[in-house]
Amino acid sequence: MKNLIQKWNSISLILRILVGLIIGAVLGIALPNATVVGVLGDLFVGALKSIAPILVFVLVMSSLAKANSGIGKRFRTVIVLYMLSTLLAAVVAVLASFAFPVTIKLTDAASNTAPSGIGEVLRSLLNNIVSNPVGALMNANYIGILAWSVILGLALKKGASDHTKEALSDLSDAVSQAVRWIINLAPFGILGLVFSSVSTNGLSIFKDYGKLLLLLVGCMLAVALIVDPLIAAICLRRNPYPLVFRCFKESGLTAFFTRSSAANIPINMALCERLGLDKDMYSVSIPLGATINMDGAAITITVMTLAAAHTLGITVDIPTAIVLSVLATVAACGASGVAGGSLLLIPMACSLFGISNDVAMQVVAVGFIIGVVQDSFETAINSSGDVLFAATAEYREWIKQGRDVKF
């Protein structure tokens, strides 16, 4: 058994995941009723979601408790890159929606649970920051987890003994090891997730909403393959695509199938470690990115809102489109604090054009129908972008210091 495990671990994880992907797709087509296979995916995502809040809390607290000074500038760079990328994603979605206007068939209204405005989104965000820390861990409220881990980390940095800091470091290493064990089982999890997706949805979703999906996916790919690499290239002054493709391969692939930025946090942190990044940096910037680096959410909000406007024959002028881009950027950053994520922020954006909430919630219902594809791409570009910009910010400092950078 030990030799078998060693041989298993010696094979590239990406190769193992691809094999699991293929087997899952074949089983989904050949044995769609073998639902027990899908349990593997549920267990994998459940394990990642369970360990991620603990990982973020322990790593951020431990890193700040023993962090060296001088990383503040890199944090500012990461935040600027995250926000700039999200804003440009919204702009790309506006331009694409103008160039290729899409209309949608409105369906029955979904449940009316969307936020009423940007004020409610921001209020929810602020409330999450000061939420009970135990409740934040239980409910995977990453805004609250980040806030309390930063506060406790800074307090420990000032007043804790070296022995306490070492104990925290040992605890973070233990949690990281548990994460590595879970990630090593990713091929089985991906197998189950692909099986569930193929056996349940098939390809019929492309028939009814093909144009809308094409516009959404096209915008996301344009941002991921053109806009984000351009930002990285300007910062690094070198070809960013080796780094971009590595982030896609090692982060975006699993994010596509787990459809959860939270579940992908451990995978992103493991990738940052392999890239040689500073643990003090990425232990904070990666969970922060899962909260505010929301290119896919900004695209979804913008495209779906403009599709509703085109369907109703509403003329959208340039100033309003600019306001929509900014609103989508701010709203996307708060998407993780709203139940339902980016889709339930669509009615708020629709209110810019005087679209009633009843009609807007029908657009949300369409979003849920295509969500199996839309959410997969959205999570993939969000999650891979988290690593891309965390690495870009750090590599930028390395280049300034004359250090060698290899992707």
Side-chain angles (χ1 to χ4, degrees):
M1 178 61 71
K2 186 176 180 180
N3 290 334
L4 185 62
I5 294 174
Q6 288 177 342
K7 288 181 179 179
W8 169 258
N9 291 333
S10 67
I11 302 172
S12 166
L13 179 62
I14 298 300
L15 180 59
R16 284 181 276 157
I17 287 175
L18 289 175
V19 171
L21 190 158
I22 294 169
I23 294 175
V26 171
L27 290 176
I29 296 171
L31 302 170
N33 295 322
T35 54
V36 67
V37 179
V39 174
L40 294 173
D42 296 336
L43 291 174
F44 176 64
V45 174
L48 285 174
K49 284 184 176 180
S50 297
I51 196 69
I54 301 171
L55 175 71
V56 170
F57 185 74
V58 172
L59 278 185
V60 172
M61 185 169 56
S62 174
S63 295
L64 290 178
K66 55 188 182 66
N68 297 320
S69 57
I71 62 174
K73 186 176 181 181
R74 281 179 286 166
F75 276 128
R76 288 194 295 272
T77 302
V78 168
I79 292 172
V80 169
L81 291 176
Y82 285 160
M83 296 301 296
L84 176 62
S85 175
T86 303
L87 176 61
L88 291 179
V91 172
V92 167
V94 167
L95 295 176
S97 295
F98 280 175
F100 308 101
V102 170
T103 57
I104 54 179
K105 182 195 297 184
L106 298 179
T107 64
D108 293 334
S111 58
N112 191 359
T113 57
S116 58
I118 193 66
E120 186 175 338
V121 174
L122 295 176
R123 185 164 55 250
S124 174
L125 210 56
L126 293 174
N127 286 335
N128 283 337
I129 291 175
V130 296
S131 66
N132 182 289
V134 177
L137 283 168
M138 291 176 60
N139 300 317
N141 165 20
Y142 286 94
I143 292 289
I145 292 170
L146 272 173
W148 285 110
S149 59
V150 167
I151 291 170
L152 291 174
L154 293 176
L156 287 166
K157 180 180 176 64
K158 185 175 182 181
S161 67
D162 291 339
H163 292 298
T164 301
K165 293 177 182 178
E166 284 301 317
L168 275 175
S169 180
D170 291 341
L171 179 60
S172 70
D173 290 342
V175 175
S176 298
Q177 181 60 55
V179 168
R180 283 191 284 270
W181 288 339
I182 294 171
I183 293 175
N184 207 35
L185 298 174
F188 301 103
I190 296 297
L191 186 155
L193 290 168
V194 172
F195 169 84
S196 297
S197 182
V198 171
S199 62
T200 303
N201 301 287
L203 301 176
S204 61
I205 192 172
F206 293 101
K207 179 181 176 182
D208 297 328
Y209 298 101
K211 289 183 179 179
L212 179 60
L213 272 173
L214 190 61
L215 181 59
L216 281 167
V217 173
C219 289
M220 292 180 188
L221 291 178
V223 169
L225 297 176
I226 300 174
V227 176
D228 287 355
L230 181 60
I231 295 173
I234 292 172
C235 290
L236 300 176
R237 297 186 179 182
R238 60 187 60 192
N239 179 16
Y241 281 100
L243 178 61
V244 170
F245 292 139
R246 184 168 181 183
C247 292
F248 265 124
K249 183 176 72 173
E250 300 187 34
S251 171
L253 182 63
T254 52
F256 183 90
F257 291 107
T258 61
R259 295 169 58 193
S260 171
S261 294
N264 224 49
I265 286 175
I267 291 169
N268 280 351
M269 287 191 174
L271 174 54
C272 287
E273 184 178 0
R274 292 193 295 275
L275 288 171
L277 304 186
D278 184 355
K279 190 174 182 180
D280 291 345
M281 270 291 297
Y282 71 72
S283 63
V284 180
S285 60
I286 290 300
L288 181 65
T291 303
I292 68 171
N293 183 41
M294 291 288 175
D295 295 8
I299 290 169
T300 297
I301 294 168
T302 304
V303 167
M304 297 295 285
T305 299
L306 291 176
H310 292 144
T311 300
L312 298 173
I314 297 172
T315 301
V316 182
D317 55 27
I318 297 299
T320 306
I322 294 173
V323 173
L324 175 61
S325 298
V326 176
L327 178 63
T329 301
V330 177
C333 294
S336 60
V338 179
S342 58
L343 291 177
L344 288 180
L345 293 170
I346 292 170
M348 179 187 63
C350 284
S351 65
L352 273 178
F353 307 104
I355 299 172
S356 70
N357 198 55
D358 288 341
V359 173
M361 289 309 297
Q362 293 181 43
V363 179
V364 173
V366 173
F368 279 117
I369 293 172
I370 64 173
V372 66
V373 176
Q374 166 266 326
D375 196 36
S376 292
F377 276 96
E378 180 178 314
T379 309
I381 71 162
N382 287 347
S383 194
S384 60
D386 294 346
V387 182
L388 173 64
F389 291 125
T392 297
E394 184 154 352
Y395 288 156
R396 185 168 180 261
E397 293 301 314
W398 288 14
I399 292 171
K400 287 182 179 179
Q401 296 168 8
R403 295 173 61 182
D404 187 33
V405 175
K406 292 182 180 179
F407 304 144

